[in-house]
Amino acid sequence: MTNDEILDDAELFLARTSLRLIGPLPGECLVCYLARMLGEWGCRGPRFIDHYRDTVAPRATALRERLSRMGACCCDCEVFLNVYELRREPPPIGGIERILMEFDEDLDPDEFGDGFDDEFGDDPTSSGGERPPCQGVRRGSTQPCANWQRQYRARYW
């Protein structure tokens, strides 16, 4: 085995390992990816926003500018401080699940309490707490899944 072959094997190993450690999961939305990465690695600038854009949505060239206008100008953690938060209620049920629920005569509306915050906690990036599973987005999208909602804060001029 030559030195070039050893070097090629080492580079391939490192590339595969880095994708397993910090790569977005198939169908994972940007915000769920950021919550997972910040919980594991912490915040050090907009590196995870850039990595998601480069690997999942390379055509989203204005992603950082859009997030900056929304309030996340300098780093990944600002997405949770200023832009998105977990929904207070579970995400809406769609598709076939919704149709089945409409026809279910035995459905008790009180059965679905709003213990959503109790189950998932307030900090979406904490590695100890459980987050709801990502609802998924189409390939190339930089929009959040149904687990997230925009934070609307009053602005004082």
Side-chain angles (χ1 to χ4, degrees):
M1 201 173 203
T2 67
N3 285 342
D4 289 338
E5 292 172 338
I6 293 171
L7 184 61
D8 289 342
D9 287 348
E11 287 177 352
L12 182 61
F13 172 77
L14 289 175
R16 287 181 178 163
T17 303
S18 71
L19 279 178
R20 271 192 296 245
L21 289 175
I22 65 167
L25 301 174
E28 185 175 33
C29 77
L30 171 65
V31 184
C32 287
Y33 170 72
L34 289 175
R36 186 169 58 88
M37 289 296 103
L38 291 176
E40 291 288 324
W41 307 102
C43 185
R44 291 185 185 92
R47 66 181 181 160
F48 293 121
I49 291 172
D50 293 342
H51 182 72
Y52 185 90
R53 182 199 58 220
D54 294 343
T55 57
V56 174
R59 294 179 58 179
T61 56
L63 175 63
R64 294 239 331 251
E65 290 80 16
R66 180 171 56 92
L67 290 174
S68 179
R69 284 191 309 270
M70 295 165 77
C73 68
C74 305
C75 63
D76 296 329
C77 64
E78 287 183 341
V79 169
F80 300 103
L81 295 174
N82 301 325
V83 183
Y84 292 110
E85 62 187 0
L86 276 173
R87 286 190 185 277
R88 295 293 176 207
E89 68 280 348
I93 296 174
I96 191 69
E97 292 178 59
R98 182 178 185 182
I99 294 169
L100 291 174
M101 286 181 66
E102 289 175 358
F103 288 109
D104 189 359
E105 297 174 355
D106 298 327
L107 183 63
D108 180 13
D110 294 330
E111 183 177 302
F112 301 100
D114 57 343
F116 189 76
D117 290 333
D118 299 337
E119 184 177 351
F120 298 113
D122 289 331
D123 184 9
T125 64
S126 67
S127 57
E130 285 291 320
R131 287 181 300 279
C134 183
Q135 300 295 312
V137 292
R138 66 173 172 73
R139 181 159 176 72
S141 175
T142 58
Q143 296 298 313
C145 70
N147 292 337
W148 304 97
Q149 65 185 11
R150 278 290 305 272
Q151 294 181 18
Y152 291 101
R153 302 187 190 277
R155 295 181 188 237
Y156 299 99
W157 300 101

